[in-house]
Amino acid sequence: MRSNIQRKRSGSVGVLFAFFCAAGAGLLWAQQSGWQPHDAGLGLRGASSAEKGWVQLESPTQIALQPRRAQTVDLEFLIQDGLHINAHQPRSPYLIPTTLTLSAPAGVRVLGVEYPQAKDYHFAFSPKDALSVYTGSLHILVHLRAQPGAFAMPASLRYQACDNHMCNPPKTLTFTLHGVAK
Amino acid sequence: MRRNAVVVLGLVIGITLMLWSGVMAYRERRAASMQAPQPVALVPEGANPDTVDAASADPNSPQAQGLPDMRGKLAPGFTLKTPEGKSVSLADYKGKAVLINFWATWCAPCKLEMPWLIDLQKQYAAQGFTVLGVSEDDPPFAQVGVFAQKMGVNYPVVVANDAVNHAYGNVDGLPTSYYVGRDGKIVAETAGLISKDDIEANIKKILATKG
């Protein structure tokens, strides 16, 4: 009985010993080979990030309106932390403006789209080259009037995001506003 | 007794290996962070640039941006068109040190580094160096030529295609640069805006290579 317990103990100790040796050897191999616990081929440019985009719609896509009255819908977008997107009217014609496009269905009239005031930034070494950008939470106001009934209005936000030193390619966030005017 | 000694020895070996591995990894990370080109900070209007921490920007290493490490490998060959329709091949610059600079007209950091590239082209062209600008703009490409002319670009500019983007690690973020030695091998790669000094240091490295 006692020898059985001793055998079990020595077996456990052996397993423990083997575990530590294997762990040490594994870590040593990881260090030497430069292996990292993630796919270096993905990162920020990875499919998930790129497909998801850098701006998300925060507002609900369901809206309720009073019929035949001019009303304002506040669409809130969230710009990924650390990134900025160009203002609707950037300082250079080459920069891609942030633009909301709405395809008004029959019975809905878009009276106007109002963009917020942008913030000015400049590069540390180049104060003259200011950039007019949005960061964080972006509220775009849509003024519209709808006839009674339900409607679906496809919309898209085209933007181009950069961080402090790098720019991502232009992207378009598409969504549909589902409204009821009653 | 003997078994206990073996166990203790095993534990000591295992823990020592882990500690040594950790120390080596820390040293490597520290060395890499000291060698990495420093990103250039973007400052809100009215703020003091000195108080803005450039290092708080996303890590600037190409690998952190998802680019594969192509250093030491032959630069993938390509033939691309200029905005005017003329063909330009990387092979045209055989034996030269080439800075392949991916950029776009809508990329503000790219526009900021352009005057530096123009200066460096002037400074080092006689030593067998050229910048090769690869535009990531969408059509119409005429605007690329107009933009380059307006900026005073003094080096060849071509328009990218999917094949070259793929060959160079699916170029996405801009600017992205590959520094190709006279032997056709990639010596350095950078993702994002870095300082003119860092760009020049990389140019000196590729000029020092032998064809």
Side-chain angles (χ1 to χ4, degrees):
Chain A
M1 187 69 177
R2 192 168 184 173
S3 86
N4 272 348
I5 291 169
Q6 276 181 342
R7 209 173 293 140
K8 275 182 186 172
R9 257 188 207 160
S10 73
S12 304
V13 166
V15 168
L16 197 64
F17 172 69
F19 167 77
F20 273 109
C21 285
L27 283 167
L28 183 61
W29 169 80
Q31 167 59 33
Q32 295 295 335
S33 64
W35 178 85
Q36 292 183 343
H38 61 81
D39 186 350
L42 295 177
L44 283 177
R45 295 166 188 237
S48 59
S49 210
E51 281 163 13
K52 200 173 143 196
W54 297 282
V55 178
Q56 303 301 319
L57 177 65
E58 282 292 288
S59 307
T61 52
Q62 307 281 343
I63 52 174
L65 302 169
Q66 291 183 325
R68 300 190 190 91
R69 286 185 62 181
Q71 282 156 95
T72 301
V73 175
D74 180 351
L75 291 179
E76 184 186 8
F77 299 89
L78 196 62
I79 301 161
Q80 191 175 302
D81 196 29
L83 297 181
H84 58 264
I85 63 174
N86 292 315
H88 179 58
Q89 292 182 314
R91 289 171 179 261
S92 161
Y94 288 101
L95 298 178
I96 293 169
T98 297
T99 307
L100 178 71
T101 303
L102 300 152
S103 302
V108 178
R109 190 169 165 213
V110 176
L111 305 170
V113 176
E114 202 177 317
Y115 295 88
Q117 183 82 30
K119 293 175 199 164
D120 282 347
Y121 280 80
H122 66 261
F123 284 92
F125 56 85
S126 183
K128 286 180 188 171
D129 293 310
L131 294 171
S132 192
V133 301
Y134 302 128
T135 55
S137 173
L138 167 67
H139 289 264
I140 299 178
L141 304 180
V142 178
H143 305 291
L144 49 80
R145 185 184 290 139
Q147 296 299 318
F151 63 87
M153 182 159 59
S156 63
L157 184 80
R158 182 168 161 78
Y159 65 90
Q160 190 266 306
C162 300
D163 66 15
N164 284 357
H165 69 295
M166 181 179 262
C167 287
N168 298 309
K171 277 211 161 285
T172 302
L173 170 69
T174 57
F175 55 96
T176 301
L177 290 174
H178 297 277
V180 178
K182 63 178 181 181
Chain B
M1 190 66 182
R2 194 179 157 194
R3 194 175 293 133
N4 283 344
V6 170
V7 170
V8 169
L9 184 66
L11 285 171
V12 167
I13 290 171
I15 291 167
T16 305
L17 281 172
M18 283 190 283
L19 285 173
W20 181 75
S21 173
V23 168
M24 292 301 284
Y26 170 75
R27 277 187 186 169
E28 197 171 275
R29 276 199 306 273
R30 194 159 174 236
S33 71
M34 288 176 78
Q35 284 173 5
Q38 291 303 303
V40 182
L42 192 64
V43 182
E45 284 296 302
N48 180 358
D50 296 336
T51 62
V52 176
D53 180 13
S56 68
D58 288 340
N60 200 37
S61 77
Q63 281 66 58
Q65 301 298 333
L67 282 179
D69 188 354
M70 293 174 71
R71 288 172 297 175
K73 294 179 181 165
L74 276 176
F78 55 80
T79 300
L80 297 169
K81 300 269 189 192
T82 66
E84 297 77 30
K86 187 186 158 197
S87 290
V88 173
S89 296
L90 182 59
D92 298 342
Y93 302 98
K94 194 178 175 188
K96 282 196 170 188
V98 183
L99 163 48
I100 303 172
N101 176 245
F102 290 89
W103 69 285
T105 56
W106 43 258
C107 165
C110 305
K111 189 183 170 190
L112 284 169
E113 73 174 5
M114 252 177 185
W116 303 341
L117 299 181
I118 291 165
D119 285 350
L120 294 164
Q121 173 78 12
K122 269 185 212 160
Q123 196 176 338
Y124 293 105
Q127 295 178 40
F129 165 76
T130 189
V131 179
L132 181 54
V134 182
S135 162
E136 293 286 341
D137 283 88
D138 290 329
F141 301 127
Q143 63 167 346
V144 175
V146 171
F147 182 91
Q149 199 175 16
K150 197 174 158 190
M151 291 294 293
V153 167
N154 55 356
Y155 49 83
V157 169
V158 291
V159 177
N161 59 22
D162 289 344
V164 78
N165 285 340
H166 181 70
Y168 282 84
N170 294 320
V171 175
D172 200 3
L174 299 176
T176 290
S177 292
Y178 288 89
Y179 297 80
V180 183
R182 295 178 193 274
D183 55 359
K185 287 183 180 170
I186 293 171
V187 173
E189 55 188 67
T190 59
L193 182 65
I194 59 172
S195 72
K196 187 181 178 185
D197 289 346
D198 285 332
I199 296 172
E200 188 169 11
N202 282 330
I203 290 171
K204 284 179 179 170
K205 277 187 205 168
I206 54 175
L207 280 170
T209 58
K210 290 177 182 174

